[in-house]
Amino acid sequence: MNSLAEQVKQAHRITLIPGDGIGPEVTEAVVAILEAAGRKTGCSFDWHRHDAGADAFEKSGEYIPKALYQSIEQNRVALKGPVTTPIGGGFASINVTLRKKFDLYANFRPIKNLPGLKTNYPGVDLIIFRENTEDLYAGLEVMVVPGVAQSLKIITEKGSTRIAKAAFEYARKHGRKRIHAIHKANIMKLTDGLFLDCARKVAAGFPEIEYKEHIVDNTCMQLVLNPYQYDILLTENLYGDILSDLCSAFVGGLGLVPGANLGAECAVFEAVHGSAPDIAGKDLANPTALLQSAVLMLHHIDEPATADVVQQALEHVYGEGKTLTRDVGGSSGTRAFADAVIDAMSSTR
Ligand code: ATP
């Protein structure tokens, strides 16, 4: 029985962005699972739902409505489904805009196999720390003259130092052994060179953690040959984005990998995958990536017991292997998978 203090505990106010494409389906599944877990641990949620992107524009004339900005400012924690970014034109990426607006400079992406799910690379356990606000993602592009486009790659000492610190401090706190800074400083001598200089300076303050540097193209090959040599990858924005999708294949694909965008004031938790328009609205999406992002969120808001209930139930479902979604070799839909995770809560506690 929970103590009275636990029972009357205030609901966590969380900004919820269902997003579009598969976003609403996976978000609905995750909310149902978190509500069920919360009923077991005495933790409750006050979800503040907001649209973003094309849907928001249709309703309010704004891609990111002011009410959404205010909600994140007040709650300081958001759980976000994917929002489609138009390719080659249209409005700016909602993800990139939110990361810049709230200075969510650290993108944390743990890549870890789920027990029971067979992949070509069992036992992978690595983390990507991706700088989240600079690089070619600064969005500073101009058409210089017709036929010549230019994009500015911005790398700063401040941005590089703080992401390196975030990675090294995490490594120290969690007993991780090795950090590889990923770069292309042989070609981009000033920008990637500055990134490496900052990483080296930070590394000097953490002598117990092995520090190495790998060139990004070689890293792709090394990862496919032997991902076990890596523990933490410290990257700029673009390299981290690409390597995240590559690394997701080690653990079963994009449907599985969680992410957290962390700043000094706020945090936005979201899956690594995009809005997957090819499977949207068909009850085919795997909600695991967003669910594991929500587990990161539960730790962030100091609800470790609720996080454990969710993680154990999730692992139980994968361990049994009976109710999995198609992307990982099963035949179940999003809702059936979510129901199985909720059912598993009674057998795992
Ligand atoms: P973005 O550039 O917006 O981040 P992306 O390149 O990561 O997007 P996605 O939209 O995530 O691309 O989709 C890539 C592929 O992975 C698609 O075939 C999609 O169906 C699949 N996929 C992505 N997420 C999931 C999921 N949650 N469940 C099942 N399949 C998924």
Side-chain angles (χ1 to χ4, degrees), residues 176-212:
R176 310 289 300 214
K177 303 272 180 275
R178 195 176 313 119
I179 293 185
H180 281 82
I182 308 303
H183 68 96
K184 190 79 186 172
N186 48 337
I187 306 296
M188 280 163 278
K189 295 178 192 294
L190 293 185
T191 48
D192 286 16
L194 175 59
F195 183 78
L196 285 185
D197 277 350
C198 297
R200 284 174 199 153
K201 281 187 191 137
V202 174
F206 295 79
E208 79 279 21
I209 296 158
E210 189 184 356
Y211 173 70
K212 293 185 146 195

Side-chain angles (χ1 to χ4, degrees), residues 22 245 254-255 272-279 284-286 327:
I22 58 171
D245 275 28
L254 279 173
V272 165
H273 62 72
S275 58
D278 52 332
I279 56 167
L284 289 175
N286 186 349
D327 55 310

Side-chain angles (χ1 to χ4, degrees), residues 190-242:
L190 293 185
T191 48
D192 286 16
L194 175 59
F195 183 78
L196 285 185
D197 277 350
C198 297
R200 284 174 199 153
K201 281 187 191 137
V202 174
F206 295 79
E208 79 279 21
I209 296 158
E210 189 184 356
Y211 173 70
K212 293 185 146 195
E213 293 169 357
H214 274 182
I215 293 180
V216 64
D217 37 1
N218 176 36
T219 307
C220 294
M221 182 193 70
Q222 294 291 342
L223 276 164
V224 175
L225 284 175
N226 175 20
Y228 307 103
Q229 65 187 294
Y230 295 106
D231 188 358
I232 290 179
L233 300 179
L234 169 62
T235 77
E236 293 170 8
N237 207 339
L238 177 62
Y239 305 149
D241 191 11
I242 295 167

Side-chain angles (χ1 to χ4, degrees), residues 25-327:
E25 296 165 80
V26 291
T27 310
E28 195 188 320
V30 168
V31 166
I33 293 167
L34 260 58
E35 292 284 343
R39 284 193 287 277
K40 294 212 151 273
T41 58
C43 154
S44 58
F45 305 94
D46 180 5
W47 303 105
H48 297 192
R49 285 183 165 73
H50 291 273
D51 286 325
D55 290 351
F57 189 79
E58 253 178 46
K59 288 183 201 158
S60 69
E62 294 171 300
Y63 290 107
I64 304 183
K66 278 181 202 68
L68 169 54
Y69 281 131
Q70 282 162 358
S71 177
I72 297 178
E73 255 158 36
Q74 278 162 12
N75 297 336
R76 294 174 165 218
V77 180
L79 182 64
K80 178 181 161 300
V83 180
T84 306
T85 305
I87 293 174
F91 59 89
S93 159
I94 302 300
N95 301 345
V96 173
T97 308
L98 285 178
R99 290 167 189 171
K100 280 204 277 194
K101 163 81 183 165
F102 292 105
D103 203 16
L104 305 170
Y105 65 89
N107 193 325
F108 172 80
R109 295 178 160 183
I111 317 276
K112 191 170 180 191
N113 288 88
L114 275 166
L117 181 63
K118 283 208 177 80
T119 72
N120 292 331
Y121 295 85
V124 170
D125 180 9
L126 62 87
I127 295 170
I128 297 175
F129 269 87
R130 162 185 170 195
E131 201 293 321
N132 222 9
T133 56
E134 309 191 326
D135 197 359
L136 287 159
Y137 282 52
L140 299 173
E141 291 193 310
V142 284
M143 196 57 87
V144 183
V145 289
V148 181
Q150 181 186 44
S151 184
L152 294 183
K153 170 162 170 151
I154 306 294
I155 298 291
T156 68
E157 185 179 359
K158 179 184 165 200
S160 304
T161 301
R162 65 183 179 174
I163 188 65
K165 272 192 183 152
F168 276 93
E169 279 164 8
Y170 180 91
R172 176 171 279 171
K173 189 166 172 203
H174 296 271
R176 310 289 300 214
K177 303 272 180 275
R178 195 176 313 119
I179 293 185
H180 281 82
I182 308 303
H183 68 96
K184 190 79 186 172
N186 48 337
I187 306 296
M188 280 163 278
K189 295 178 192 294
L190 293 185
T191 48
D192 286 16
L194 175 59
F195 183 78
L196 285 185
D197 277 350
C198 297
R200 284 174 199 153
K201 281 187 191 137
V202 174
F206 295 79
E208 79 279 21
I209 296 158
E210 189 184 356
Y211 173 70
K212 293 185 146 195
E213 293 169 357
H214 274 182
I215 293 180
V216 64
D217 37 1
N218 176 36
T219 307
C220 294
M221 182 193 70
Q222 294 291 342
L223 276 164
V224 175
L225 284 175
N226 175 20
Y228 307 103
Q229 65 187 294
Y230 295 106
D231 188 358
I232 290 179
L233 300 179
L234 169 62
T235 77
E236 293 170 8
N237 207 339
L238 177 62
Y239 305 149
D241 191 11
I242 295 167
L243 292 176
S244 302
D245 275 28
L246 191 163
C247 290
S248 80
F250 299 142
V251 297
L254 279 173
L256 295 154
V257 179
N261 301 288
L262 307 166
E265 303 291 329
C266 307
V268 176
F269 295 82
E270 64 180 338
V272 165
H273 62 72
S275 58
D278 52 332
I279 56 167
K282 298 177 180 161
D283 194 36
L284 289 175
N286 186 349
T288 302
L290 189 65
L291 186 59
Q292 296 208 93
S293 309
V295 169
L296 296 176
M297 180 188 81
L298 289 169
H299 284 292
H300 179 83
I301 61 172
D302 204 19
E303 286 291 350
T306 314
D308 287 349
V309 168
V310 174
Q311 191 67 33
Q312 280 171 25
L314 178 70
E315 292 184 6
H316 182 85
V317 170
Y318 274 95
E320 276 198 332
K322 286 196 258 174
T323 322
L324 301 181
T325 47
R326 284 206 209 168
D327 55 310

